[in-house]
């Protein structure tokens, strides 16, 4: 392993990616979870998404959740949007950082946002310009970057081509989503190498799911390749809409526990985070898959 970074920036996505894949919970529960997370020392939170309520009923109350949530100083909050209409809603709600999503695989893009990848990319070009007019940061999340539940393998060259396009259109950052947990260290290395060969300067964030148990291995691989921004979800909240019962996003506590032990700072207080994870369990009414939540943090002497 090359030299480790002194710190890693974790974006907590439990309130969005986590809750969108759980049975719907009341608005009040979402606000409580957001407030608990805001008190953990985490520096970034993806708070809500502005999507069609028919597509994702769990986010139908995004405006109200965001209006009622405590905005903690020192925390950067963001929202995910699937199209221009979502971006307009996020701007109206006052977000200054916005993620727009497109899938590398055409089939997944059609199922997710009802259009081809090429059509989404055309929309995104205008959307980035709109966000920049408002002084808002535009991140493009490339979903299914490491594999598609419908098409199988996704060619890293296709991912790199999408990155070329959105960088040309002005994206401030790209994120690669392992939407259904198909990534392995080999695939992570291939995608990052393909992208970096062509776009060495664009900031990169990675979004791993632990559906098949590879999330921390993938994260270490990416860390070794110099990536220092990651999404993670409290308690491993969430799941996979295509595989009932499957684990969801990599659990924030597992990432924090591992990184802190390796001397990499995250700014997060693990005890406060575990409290938020226990709250998340209570709110969704099921045991969450996080190993650190189940076993507790490692004792210093053991
Ligand atoms: N929020 C709320 N309403 C929206 C919207 C948004 N982001 N985007 C479109 N709409 C509304 C339109 O205003 C229109 O309303 P009308 O019928 O009253 O005129 C209607 O939805 C249809 O618009 P259209 O552009 O044809 O959308 P669509 O039916 O093709 O749906 C999406 C496309 C993107 C809105 C929908 O597929 C979606 O919300 N997907 C989200 C998927 C997601 O979040 N996945 C997880 C994250 S990766
Ligand atoms: Zn996800």
């Amino acid at each position: 392993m090359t030299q480790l970074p002194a710190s890693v920036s974790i974006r907590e996505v439990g309130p969005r990616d986590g809750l969108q894949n759980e049975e719907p919970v009341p608005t009040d529960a979402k606000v409580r979870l957001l407030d608990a997370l805001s008190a953990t020392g985490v520096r970034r939170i993806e708070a809500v998404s502005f999507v069609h309520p028919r597509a994702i009923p769990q986010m139908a109350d995004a405006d109200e959740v965001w209006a009622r949530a405590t905005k903690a100083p020192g925390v950067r909050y963001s929202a995910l949007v699937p199209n221009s209409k979502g971006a307009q809603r996020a701007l109206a709600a006052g977000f200054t950082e916005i993620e727009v999503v497109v899938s590398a695989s055409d089939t997944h893009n059609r199922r997710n946002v009802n259009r081809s990848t090429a059509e989404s990319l055309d929309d995104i070009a205008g959307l980035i310009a709109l966000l920049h007019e408002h002084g808002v940061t535009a991140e493009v999340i490339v979903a299914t970057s490491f594999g598609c539940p419908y098409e199988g393998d996704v060619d890293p060259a296709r991912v790199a081509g999408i990155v070329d396009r959105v960088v040309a259109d002005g994206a401030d950052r790209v994120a690669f989503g392992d939407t259904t947990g198909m990534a392995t260290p080999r695939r992570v290395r291939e995608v990052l190498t393909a992208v970096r060969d062509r776009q060495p300067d664009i900031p990169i964030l990675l979004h791993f799911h632990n559906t098949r148990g590879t999330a921390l291995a993938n994260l270490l691989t990416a860390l070794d390749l110099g990536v220092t921004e990651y999404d993670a979800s409290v308690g491993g909240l969430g799941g996979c809409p295509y595989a009932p019962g499957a684990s969801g996003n990599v659990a924030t506590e597992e990432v924090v526990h591992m990184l802190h032990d390796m001397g990499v700072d995250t700014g997060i207080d693990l005890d406060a985070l575990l409290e938020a994870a226990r709250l998340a369990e209570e709110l969704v009414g099921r045991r969450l898959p996080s190993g650190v939540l189940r076993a507790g943090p490692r004792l210093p002497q053991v």
Side-chain angles (χ1 to χ4, degrees):
M1 174 148 301
T2 51
Q3 203 180 348
L4 289 169
S7 72
V8 150
S9 178
I10 292 180
R11 179 168 64 194
E12 170 59 51
V13 298
R16 199 283 300 171
D17 203 8
L19 289 183
Q20 89 167 32
N21 289 304
E22 299 283 347
E23 290 298 317
V25 299
T27 306
D28 193 52
K30 296 174 192 171
V31 174
R32 280 177 68 197
L33 181 62
L34 266 173
D35 288 355
L37 290 166
S38 290
T40 61
V42 72
R43 295 168 183 140
R44 296 157 85 172
I45 301 180
E46 187 177 74
V48 290
S49 62
F50 291 98
V51 296
H52 198 295
R54 208 172 41 231
I56 312 276
Q58 290 90 334
M59 291 292 135
D61 54 357
D63 276 300
E64 194 186 343
V65 170
W66 178 238
R68 286 174 49 192
T70 305
K71 283 79 177 176
V75 182
R76 291 159 54 194
Y77 297 93
S78 63
L80 178 142
V81 305
N83 58 6
S84 305
K85 165 97 185 192
Q88 277 152 7
R89 290 178 60 202
L91 287 173
F95 280 93
T96 54
E97 295 198 32
I98 293 178
E99 288 94 56
V100 53
V101 63
V102 58
S103 304
S105 98
D106 216 50
T107 315
H108 188 271
N109 205 70
R110 284 181 194 280
R111 301 246 186 157
N112 198 36
V113 295
N114 198 24
R115 61 185 67 173
S116 68
T117 300
E119 285 168 316
S120 276
L121 287 172
D122 287 342
D123 188 33
I124 285 171
L127 200 153
I128 293 171
L130 172 77
L131 297 185
H132 285 172
E133 270 168 37
H134 288 80
V136 167
T137 304
E139 171 182 309
V140 177
I141 301 176
V142 187
T144 65
S145 283
F146 307 96
C148 167
Y150 307 109
E151 294 182 15
D153 288 348
V154 169
D155 185 353
R158 182 170 165 90
V159 178
I162 291 172
V163 173
D164 286 344
R165 169 75 195 270
V166 301
V167 168
D169 289 334
D172 297 298
R173 184 186 313 113
V174 291
F176 300 112
D178 185 22
T179 315
T180 58
M182 294 170 74
T184 61
R186 172 181 70 82
R187 288 171 193 263
V188 170
R189 199 169 282 280
E190 283 176 6
V191 169
L192 288 176
T193 306
V195 170
R196 278 266 174 262
D197 276 353
R198 285 150 65 162
Q199 299 292 344
D201 299 325
I202 186 78
I204 289 176
L205 181 148
L206 288 173
H207 175 105
F208 291 124
H209 282 232
N210 201 35
T211 324
R212 294 176 180 80
T214 54
L216 284 181
N218 293 336
L219 193 145
L220 270 187
T221 303
L223 202 61
D224 198 31
L225 293 168
V227 177
T228 57
E229 301 183 61
Y230 298 94
D231 280 351
S233 173
V234 63
L237 193 64
C240 171
Y242 314 99
S247 321
N249 299 73
V250 63
T252 316
E253 314 78 78
E254 293 183 354
V255 176
V256 168
H257 167 262
M258 182 183 79
L259 290 178
H260 286 188
D261 186 61
M262 295 169 78
V264 179
D265 174 55
T266 64
I268 296 174
D269 177 322
L270 186 53
D271 290 330
L273 181 62
L274 284 165
E275 248 176 70
R278 281 187 284 270
L279 174 67
E281 280 197 320
E282 183 192 318
L283 297 176
V284 299
R286 71 175 184 101
R287 278 163 68 96
L288 294 176
S290 156
V292 177
L293 179 58
R294 294 274 67 84
R298 184 184 36 82
L299 293 172
Q301 298 85 353
V302 179

